[in-house]
Amino acid sequence: QSALTQPASVSGSPGQSITISCTGTSSDVGSYNLVSWYQQHPGKAPKLMIYEVSKRPSGVSNRFSGSKSGNTASLTISGLQAEDEADYYCCSYAGSSTFVFGTGTKVTVL
Amino acid sequence: EVQLVESGGGLVQPGRSLRLSCAASGFTFDDYAMHWVRQAPGKGLEWVSGISWNSGSIGYADSVKGRFTISRDNAKNSLYLQMNSLRAEDTALYYCAKDKGAAEGIAFDIWGQGTMVTVSS
């Protein structure tokens, strides 16, 4: 159960697009289409942004999209806005009723 | 309103026990799997444990296996986490989270505000 690997930080200017990677193994990300992404603002509880690799919950902006290739999942934020500045975490089902989170990525809007 | 409210956190000495509770409201509790996720101060999220709707499937992180026990009481719309043999590294904000699915889990769509557990002598 090693944490999934994410870049520590990603930045972009308003209006730009950024992509956050999430690298796991063939035992988690590579085996299941159960990758989810969470946004967390300081002092707040996490918020589900993407589930099952690319599905958006009701109410989440379509500027957020997800994908997966092999053992790596990605979250893309298009049309970056100031309110998108937050920490982002990926998460994957890892078999045997267990999950594993990513190391987290701090997104900065320049 | 869909809501999860955690309780039971506090300051505890190493080696002692603590039981966390999570009260659910606003949704049909026994239709969904539930989880505990923790976050140490200034650190990232760590999945701790999950339980299916009927308690038939249960999973634990390696870091807590053998020390923590998750359970649920569907009649009381409540989720629990019994934490034994606590260590300093268990110090964290513990979140209760609802799953989108009923069985082994899909994703965590509703979160509580968390209850803080501090393990220190």
Side-chain angles (χ1 to χ4, degrees):
Chain A
Q1 291 180 349
S2 297
L4 308 176
T5 301
Q6 299 180 231
S9 63
V10 173
S11 62
S13 299
Q16 286 187 328
S17 293
I18 62 169
T19 296
I20 304 169
S21 62
C22 169
T23 301
T25 69
S26 57
S27 297
D28 38 61
V29 175
S31 286
Y32 308 96
N33 287 324
L34 291 174
V35 176
S36 51
W37 290 89
Y38 302 85
Q39 176 193 65
Q40 187 180 34
H41 287 109
K44 300 295 186 181
K47 174 186 177 183
L48 177 65
M49 304 302 285
I50 295 287
Y51 68 99
E52 292 180 323
V53 176
S54 59
K55 297 179 180 179
R56 267 189 318 274
S58 174
V60 171
S61 170
N62 59 9
R63 297 185 299 105
F64 292 84
S65 61
S67 63
K68 189 187 87 166
S69 178
N71 296 339
T72 298
S74 298
L75 174 72
T76 297
I77 309 174
S78 59
L80 199 61
Q81 299 180 0
E83 68 212 48
D84 300 331
E85 187 162 291
D87 292 327
Y88 291 82
Y89 296 90
C90 62
C91 182
S92 175
Y93 182 69
S96 301
S97 302
T98 66
F99 283 83
V100 60
F101 275 97
T103 50
T105 298
K106 181 176 181 60
V107 169
T108 301
V109 181
L110 301 172
Chain B
E1 178 190 8
V2 176
Q3 194 172 15
L4 297 171
V5 178
E6 303 92 336
S7 60
L11 174 62
V12 61
Q13 293 179 329
R16 304 297 291 266
S17 299
L18 207 58
R19 188 195 196 206
L20 305 184
S21 299
C22 171
S25 60
F27 65 98
T28 305
F29 183 71
D30 55 11
D31 276 353
Y32 298 97
M34 297 293 295
H35 304 266
W36 289 99
V37 176
R38 69 184 181 184
Q39 187 168 34
K43 303 297 184 182
L45 300 174
E46 180 186 15
W47 179 84
V48 173
S49 182
I51 185 169
S52 63
W53 69 280
N54 63 352
S55 304
S57 293
I58 288 176
Y60 297 98
D62 287 344
S63 57
V64 307
K65 197 175 297 183
R67 300 187 299 123
F68 290 11
T69 301
I70 191 172
S71 62
R72 64 188 295 161
D73 185 337
N74 288 342
K76 295 183 177 180
N77 290 345
S78 293
L79 176 72
Y80 306 101
L81 186 67
Q82 177 67 43
M83 305 186 295
N84 298 333
S85 303
L86 283 162
R87 306 167 180 167
E89 54 264 37
D90 295 320
T91 295
L93 184 64
Y94 283 73
Y95 291 104
C96 168
K98 168 189 168 293
D99 203 284
K100 285 185 67 61
E104 295 190 341
I106 298 174
F108 321 126
D109 62 347
I110 302 295
W111 296 66
Q113 287 304 304
T115 186
M116 187 67 201
V117 173
T118 303
V119 184
S120 174
S121 55

